[in-house]
Amino acid sequence: MPRAFVTGITGQDGQHLAELLHGKGYDVFGMVKGQSNPRAQQVQEEMPFVELVSGDLADLPSLVAALEMSQPDEVYNLGAISFVALSFSQAELTANITGLGVLRMLEAIRMVGGTQNNPVRFYQASSSEMFGKVRETPQTEMTPFHPRSPYGCAKVFGHDIVVNYRESYGLHASSGILFNHEGPRRGIEFVTRKVTNAVARIKLGLQHELVLGNLESKRDWGYAGDYVRAMWMMLQQDEPGDYVVATGETHSIEELVTRAFAEVGIDNWGDYVRQDPKFFRPAEVDLLIGDASRAREQLGWRPEVDFGQLVKMMVTHDLEHEANKAGLAVPD
Ligand code: GDR
């Protein structure tokens, strides 16, 4: 059985990836940090097949020990401080975990490394946030980076160090430059889930207002379940490389809000939505649209869920979830 080691197992992508790998017959090891981490317990209940291993991206010896224990064929580094807004107030922590954490993971792989005939393969979760103030549209693997947040800067370092270790030490190390990817497992702090959850609660009469930041910003949103497939595909290639993973479509926050409310039959969404400058960011990225031609042609990857299906999936999930929690019937 192949063995995979995943950091960020408690996050949205970690869970989707663990399910995918388990379905393919992998032994899945998930790294969790801290003492009695409540999210670790949740992962264990929802995905009992995952073997949890303790470790922290801030602590190289713990990464070495985790790899020695799990002896993986593939390592997926999904762990990060991933909320862009938070990175402005915790910039140093973000640089340490999201940036230097990648370097530590690569060093741990060099130390433990697998066998010469079967070296460990590495996946790094790079991000469209690296493009920031975009130099061209749509963005490809060749588009220069101009990050607009401490998070984006840390991801650029992570991306560059993967390229450097690949070129310096011949590691099978690949990066997926993933554009926004969402789903019912998305954290409530991200705009899609914040919106779909609020829409469900407003429909159920549990909430009366949705307070947002910039309604004009635009994103290329896909479904997380589709995107983890691309991660796995990258590590099955003979040669490592970098791939943009995106839908090639962009939508504004306003369009997202309109669609989500329409799903529950509310057209006058303006009556429920208020903007508050506290949700605006000190700097915003420009128009993000990804060109995933390379992933399509070399990996044979294609997204299966489009924007409309994604919003519907998330609203439907949140309606059921919130109704169950409150002991209410799910509206038709
Ligand atoms: P993003 O995701 O920063 O693109 O990073 P997020 O959903 O947080 O923001 C998307 C856009 O929505 C605007 N916005 C709001 N955002 C939040 N969170 N809350 C609000 O109330 C709100 N109102 C408007 C933001 O200004 C922004 O323009 C995500 C993360 O998953 C990263 O880790 C990942 O690398 C990138 O996607 C690709």
Side-chain angles (χ1 to χ4, degrees), residues 13 76 78 123 178 227-235:
D13 293 6
Y76 294 85
L78 313 183
Y123 171 82
L178 267 54
Y227 285 34
V228 299
R229 256 191 301 118
M231 299 176 185
W232 176 78
M233 285 169 153
M234 285 175 217
L235 297 205

Side-chain angles (χ1 to χ4, degrees), residues 212-227:
L212 290 170
N214 188 358
L215 296 184
E216 280 159 26
S217 56
K218 291 187 157 185
R219 287 294 186 278
D220 177 334
W221 278 299
Y223 172 50
D226 284 339
Y227 285 34

Side-chain angles (χ1 to χ4, degrees), residues 82-84 127-129 151 178-180 182 186 189-192 194 211-215 217 219 221 253 279 281 284:
S82 66
F83 187 34
V84 175
S127 163
S128 54
E129 285 292 304
Y151 169 84
L178 267 54
F179 282 61
N180 295 54
E182 319 291 318
R186 193 57 147 145
E189 66 274 33
F190 297 96
V191 75
T192 51
K194 183 174 173 180
V211 186
L212 290 170
N214 188 358
L215 296 184
S217 56
R219 287 294 186 278
W221 278 299
I253 311 297
F279 291 112
R281 296 173 182 178
E284 259 291 1

Side-chain angles (χ1 to χ4, degrees), residues 37 40 48 112 189 249 254 272 287 310:
N37 179 342
V112 180
E189 66 274 33
E249 254 186 52
E254 187 169 331
Y272 300 95
L287 187 59
L310 176 65

Side-chain angles (χ1 to χ4, degrees), residues 202 257-258 261-262 265-273:
I202 287 168
V257 169
T258 310
F261 274 102
I266 298 176
D267 296 328
N268 56 330
W269 61 264
D271 295 348
Y272 300 95
V273 175

